[in-house]
């Protein structure tokens, strides 16, 4: 029979545009968040993290925003490139232990 | 650093056979994680170790699954007997306490 799998949210952007990937997390007690990138056929790769005592953190071409009031996390990618095409996962958990929970992921496709 | 090393990268086996997946974490990392990724369920934590000791195995599906970490540089995940529903990509990851996990390339398992 037909299998039913996760239908990942999909974001399609033009090369050079900025991308915003969103994540709603579930546990208001979570105080540590990580964004991962997973390219086809590879394992997830750490991009950037943020603790709950911050609401913004910047890396190289990436910015993570945290809104604890509405339990929302976003990843902004500046000047998106074809190499950014991947599935992006957010993970939430507690900073003082290693129980991180992964979201379902968002597929980003960059059109040249 | 070679990163997390997993073997085999691909495994095809028949239902009922024993499967052993292997992982070498990054040297110096004291946490090791086993994850399973499927289209149906996404990325699931199966078990994790701290200093070679299993800390949380609540994600292990059933008694057919077992994991060991005999020393700081080696871990195995064993499925006996294997079933078609075990088909998935199995990732090993390692980390220092409270940092982002470094994932291996994964083992693609197909149980016929």
């Amino acid at each position: 029979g037909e299998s039913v799998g996760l239908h990942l949210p999909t974001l399609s952007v033009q090369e050079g545009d900025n991308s915003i990937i969103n994540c709603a997390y579930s546990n208001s007690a979570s105080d540590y968040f990580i964004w991962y990138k997973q390219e086809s056929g590879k394992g997830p790769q750490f991009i950037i993290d943020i603790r709950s005592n911050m609401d913004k953190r910047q890396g190289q071409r990436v910015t993570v925003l945290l809104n604890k009031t509405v339990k929302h996390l976003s990843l902004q990618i500046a000047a998106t490139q074809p190499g950014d095409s991947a599935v992006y996962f957010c993970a939430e958990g507690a900073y003082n232990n290693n129980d991180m929970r992964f979201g379902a992921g968002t597929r980003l496709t960059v059109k040249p | 650093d070679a990163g997390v090393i997993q073997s085999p990268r691909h495994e095809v086996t028949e239902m009922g056979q024993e499967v052993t997946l292997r992982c070498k974490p990054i040297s110096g990392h004291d946490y090791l994680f086993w994850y399973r990724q499927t289209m149906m369920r996404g990325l699931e934590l199966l078990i994790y170790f701290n200093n070679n000791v299993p800390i949380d195995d609540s994600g292990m599906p059933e008694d057919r699954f077992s994991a060991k970490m005999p020393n700081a540089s080696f871990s195995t995940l064993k499925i006996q007997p294997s079933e078609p529903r075990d088909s998935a990509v199995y990732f090993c990851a390692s980390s220092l306490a409270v940092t982002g996990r470094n994932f291996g390339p994964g083992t693609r398992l197909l149980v016929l």
Side-chain angles (χ1 to χ4, degrees), chain B residues 82-97:
Chain B
S82 58
E83 297 182 2
R85 61 192 168 122
D86 302 330
S87 298
V89 182
Y90 290 82
F91 289 104
C92 177
S94 70
S95 70
L96 295 170

Side-chain angles (χ1 to χ4, degrees), chain A residues 3-6 32 34 36 38 40-46 49 89 94-102, chain B residues 9 31 33 35 37-43 45 48 56 91 95-101 103-105 108:
Chain A
S3 64
V4 177
L6 289 175
Y32 184 52
I34 305 175
Y36 287 88
Q38 186 176 21
S40 180
K42 297 183 179 180
Q45 176 187 5
F46 175 93
D49 60 359
F89 294 94
Y95 188 73
N96 61 359
N97 72 47
N98 273 273
D99 186 14
M100 299 295 294
R101 306 289 175 179
F102 283 77
Chain B
R9 294 293 310 277
Y31 283 85
F33 307 81
Y35 287 87
Q37 187 175 42
T38 62
M39 285 299 296
M40 291 284 289
R41 304 165 99 104
L43 198 60
L45 177 65
Y48 77 91
D56 184 354
F91 289 104
S95 70
L96 295 170
V98 304
T99 60
R101 289 157 180 62
F103 281 79
R108 293 183 176 275

Side-chain angles (χ1 to χ4, degrees), chain B residues 30 32 48-56 69:
Chain B
D30 51 4
L32 183 139
Y48 77 91
F49 296 81
N50 176 219
N51 292 322
N52 313 339
V53 176
I55 302 300
D56 184 354
M69 192 165 185

Side-chain angles (χ1 to χ4, degrees), chain A residues 27-92:
Chain A
N27 187 351
S28 56
S30 294
D31 63 2
Y32 184 52
F33 306 87
I34 305 175
W35 279 102
Y36 287 88
K37 171 187 179 183
Q38 186 176 21
E39 297 175 89
S40 180
K42 297 183 179 180
Q45 176 187 5
F46 175 93
I47 302 173
I48 191 169
D49 60 359
I50 189 168
R51 295 184 66 177
S52 60
N53 59 353
M54 303 173 70
D55 53 22
K56 179 178 180 179
R57 190 158 188 238
Q58 289 185 286
Q60 188 175 14
R61 280 201 309 118
V62 295
T63 301
V64 56
L65 299 177
L66 174 62
N67 185 330
K68 295 181 288 294
T69 303
V70 295
K71 294 189 288 187
H72 184 266
L73 195 67
S74 69
L75 177 71
Q76 300 178 359
I77 305 173
T80 314
Q81 302 167 1
D84 295 327
S85 294
V87 176
Y88 289 81
F89 294 94
C90 66
E92 61 170 304

